[in-house]
C-alpha cells in the first residue's frame, strides 16, 4: 500500500495522507451512534447506587460509571483495576475480554502472530471488543471502516470513543474547528496518532494557520513516539530544511528508522540511498521489501542490482528479505 505522506509537487498541491474533516452526517439510528447491540455491557451491567455509609468502599461505584472510566484502559491498567475489589473484577470482566478481541484484531489487521492479514476478520474482532465497551477497539473498528470507504460508520465509532474520553478517538471528529481543538488536546496528552494528524493540518493550513516549524515539531514528537509515517515526514523535514534546520545526517537517520518500522516508501528511498553509496546487498534487501509492499518503482532498481550480484549473494539477500521482521511501531 502506498504511503504518500508528503507534498511532492511544487505547484501547491498537497498529497498528505490525512483523513479529511467531514460535515456532521445526518442523524440515523446506526450511523449517528453505534447500535445498542454493540454496547451490550453498558446496557446489561447492573447499576447500584453508592451507599454514603460505606465511605471509601470502592465496590459501591456503579457498574456503568466504572465501565466508562475504564473504557480506554489497556490490559495492564485493567488488570491493576481488577485487583481493587471483587466488584471491580466482575465489572471489568467484559473489558478484559475485549482486550483478547483487540489483540486478535491487530493480528488479523497486520498479518502477525501466525495469521494472514484479513481486514474483515480484523473488523469482526474489533467490533466484538467494542461491544464489550473498549474505546481502543472502537477506534480500530472506526479505522477499518474508514479504510473500507465506509466513512460515516468510521466517524460514528470515533465519535463514540471520543465521547467516552478516548484521546485517539478525539483525533478524527467531524467538525473542523472542533477537530483542531481535540487534536491539540490529544497531542499534548502524548497520543502519537493525534500528533501526526495535527502536524498534517499545520503543514497544509487545514483548519489552522499554516506553520512549518510547528508542523515539524509535531512530526518529530510523533516520530519519537514510534509512528512510522511521522518518521518518514520528519526525515523529509530535515532533508529539505522545512521547519527544522537542514541536516542530511538526521534525514538519513529518520528515513532508516521509518524503513525499519515498515514504511514502504521509506524502504524504497533508503534502498536508493544505500545503492548510491555502493552498499548493494543492503540496498537490495530494502528495495525487495519496498517491492513486496507495493512500491513498483523499487522493483526496477532492485533487478538492476541483482544482475550485478553472484548467485550466492542473490540467494542471501532474498533470505534476508524473507526473514525480515519490522521493528515494533505504534499501532496504525
Amino acid at each position: 500500500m502506498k504511503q504518500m505522506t508528503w507534498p511532492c509537487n511544487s505547484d501547491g498541491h498537497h498529497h498528505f495522507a490525512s483523513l479529511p474533516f467531514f460535515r456532521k452526517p445526518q442523524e440515523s439510528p446506526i450511523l449517528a451512534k453505534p447500535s445498542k447491540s454493540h454496547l451490550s455491557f453498558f446496557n446489561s451491567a447492573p447499576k447500584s447506587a453508592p451507599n454514603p455509609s460505606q465511605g471509601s468502599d470502592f465496590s459501591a461505584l456503579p457498574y456503568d460509571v466504572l465501565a466508562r472510566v475504564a473504557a480506554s484502559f489497556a490490559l495492564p491498567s485493567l488488570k491493576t483495576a481488577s485487583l481493587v475489589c471483587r466488584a471491580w473484577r466482575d465489572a471489568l470482566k467484559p473489558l478484559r475480554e475485549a482486550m483478547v478481541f483487540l489483540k486478535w484484531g491487530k493480528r488479523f489487521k497486520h498479518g502477525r502472530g501466525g495469521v494472514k492479514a484479513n481486514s474483515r476478520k480484523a473488523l469482526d474482532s474489533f467490533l466484538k471488543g467494542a461491544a464489550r465497551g473498549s474505546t481502543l477497539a472502537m477506534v480500530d473498528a472506526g479505522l477499518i471502516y474508514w479504510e473500507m470507504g465506509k466513512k460515516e460508520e468510521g466517524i460514528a465509532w470515533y465519535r463514540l470513543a471520543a465521547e467516552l474520553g478516548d484521546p485517539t478517538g478525539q483525533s478524527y471528529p467531524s467538525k473542523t474547528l472542533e477537530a483542531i481543538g481535540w487534536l491539540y488536546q490529544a497531542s499534548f496528552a502524548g497520543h502519537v496518532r493525534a500528533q501526526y494528524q495535527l502536524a498534517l493540518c499545520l503543514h497544509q493550513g487545514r483548519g489552522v494557520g499554516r506553520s512549518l516549524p510547528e508542523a515539524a515539531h509535531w512530526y518529530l514528537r510523533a516520530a519519537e513516539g514510534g509512528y512510522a509515517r511521522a518518521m518518514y515526514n520528519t526525515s523529509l523535514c530535515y532533508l529539505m530544511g522545512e521547519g527544522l534546520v537542514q541536516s542530511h545526517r538526521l534525514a538519513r537517520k529518520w528515513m532508516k528508522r521509518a524503513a525499519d518500522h515498515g514504511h514502504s516508501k521509506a524502504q524504497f528511498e533508503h534502498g536508493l540511498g544505500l545503492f548510491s553509496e555502493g552498499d548493494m546487498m543492503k540496498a537490495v534487501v530494502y528495495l525487495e521489501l519496498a517491492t513486496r509492499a507495493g512500491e513498483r518503482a523499487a522493483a526496477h532498481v532492485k533487478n538492476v542490482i541483482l544482475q550485478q550480484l553472484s548467485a550466492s549473494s542473490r540467494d542471501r539477500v532474498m533470505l534476508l528479505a524473507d526473514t525480515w521482521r519490522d521493528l515494533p511501531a505504534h499501532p496504525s
Side-chain angles (χ1 to χ4, degrees):
M1 180 176 66
K2 284 195 174 183
Q3 294 158 315
M4 295 292 289
T5 56
W6 190 266
C8 305
N9 299 343
S10 59
D11 57 3
H13 295 295
H14 300 282
H15 302 287
F16 281 68
S18 62
L19 299 179
F21 299 118
F22 278 76
R23 295 179 180 176
K24 183 178 180 181
Q26 294 186 359
E27 297 294 330
S28 74
I30 296 177
L31 300 184
K33 186 176 182 180
S35 65
K36 291 184 178 180
S37 63
H38 282 139
L39 292 174
S40 57
F41 174 60
F42 288 127
N43 296 323
S44 62
K47 299 180 182 180
S48 59
N51 186 343
S53 66
Q54 292 176 315
S56 60
D57 183 2
F58 293 109
S59 65
L61 189 67
Y63 274 28
D64 59 337
V65 174
L66 178 58
R68 287 179 177 272
V69 169
S72 61
F73 283 8
L75 184 57
S77 298
L78 283 173
K79 287 183 175 179
T80 301
S82 297
L83 296 175
V84 171
C85 62
R86 181 174 180 177
W88 281 32
R89 183 192 68 193
D90 294 343
L92 295 175
K93 181 180 178 182
L95 286 172
R96 293 196 302 274
E97 293 174 348
M99 293 299 99
V100 177
F101 288 111
L102 184 67
K103 179 179 179 180
W104 277 101
K106 290 186 180 298
R107 284 183 175 180
F108 282 121
K109 180 180 178 182
H110 300 291
R112 296 171 181 166
V115 300
K116 292 183 178 180
N118 187 315
S119 60
R120 293 197 175 276
K121 287 185 178 181
L123 177 60
D124 180 66
S125 296
F126 291 142
L127 288 176
K128 288 177 179 177
R132 286 161 174 78
S134 170
T135 63
L136 303 178
M138 294 175 194
V139 167
D140 280 321
L143 183 57
I144 292 285
Y145 272 127
W146 189 282
E147 292 172 346
M148 293 170 63
K150 298 181 179 180
K151 296 178 180 178
E152 291 186 344
E153 287 93 332
I155 289 174
W157 279 112
Y158 268 103
R159 184 183 293 123
L160 181 57
E163 289 171 357
L164 292 170
D166 189 284
T168 304
Q170 293 170 352
S171 301
Y172 301 102
S174 56
K175 296 179 181 178
T176 302
L177 293 178
E178 182 183 16
I180 298 302
W182 276 355
L183 283 173
Y184 269 108
Q185 179 182 336
S187 295
F188 280 114
H191 293 269
V192 296
R193 189 180 299 178
Q195 291 169 348
Y196 175 71
Q197 288 292 322
L198 178 59
L200 292 175
C201 291
L202 288 162
H203 203 147
Q204 292 176 311
R206 249 183 117 114
V208 66
R210 189 167 186 256
S211 172
L212 293 180
E214 194 174 358
H217 166 78
W218 287 114
Y219 282 140
L220 182 57
R221 286 281 299 274
E224 291 170 340
Y227 204 68
R229 293 183 181 181
M231 295 176 191
Y232 177 74
N233 280 13
T234 297
S235 173
L236 295 182
C237 284
Y238 277 120
L239 182 65
M240 294 187 263
E242 289 200 0
L244 293 170
V245 176
Q246 190 173 39
S247 169
H248 291 287
R249 180 183 65 83
L250 291 174
R252 177 186 171 83
K253 166 190 168 182
W254 283 110
M255 188 65 74
K256 183 180 186 302
R257 285 194 180 182
D260 289 343
H261 283 79
H263 192 286
S264 63
K265 194 166 184 63
Q267 290 170 340
F268 178 30
E269 296 188 23
H270 185 58
L272 289 177
L274 291 168
F275 175 48
S276 68
E277 295 168 2
D279 195 339
M280 302 299 185
M281 296 284 285
K282 288 183 180 179
V284 172
V285 173
Y286 282 100
L287 292 170
E288 173 64 16
L289 294 172
T291 300
R292 295 180 184 185
E295 297 292 337
R296 296 181 179 178
H300 175 71
V301 183
K302 178 200 69 175
N303 291 334
V304 170
I305 301 175
L306 283 175
Q307 293 174 5
Q308 303 176 32
L309 300 179
S310 66
S312 60
S313 294
R314 289 197 294 269
D315 291 341
R316 176 167 172 73
V317 295
M318 289 299 108
L319 178 61
L320 289 172
D322 289 339
T323 57
W324 176 273
R325 293 292 180 272
D326 294 338
L327 292 178
H330 188 277
S332 59

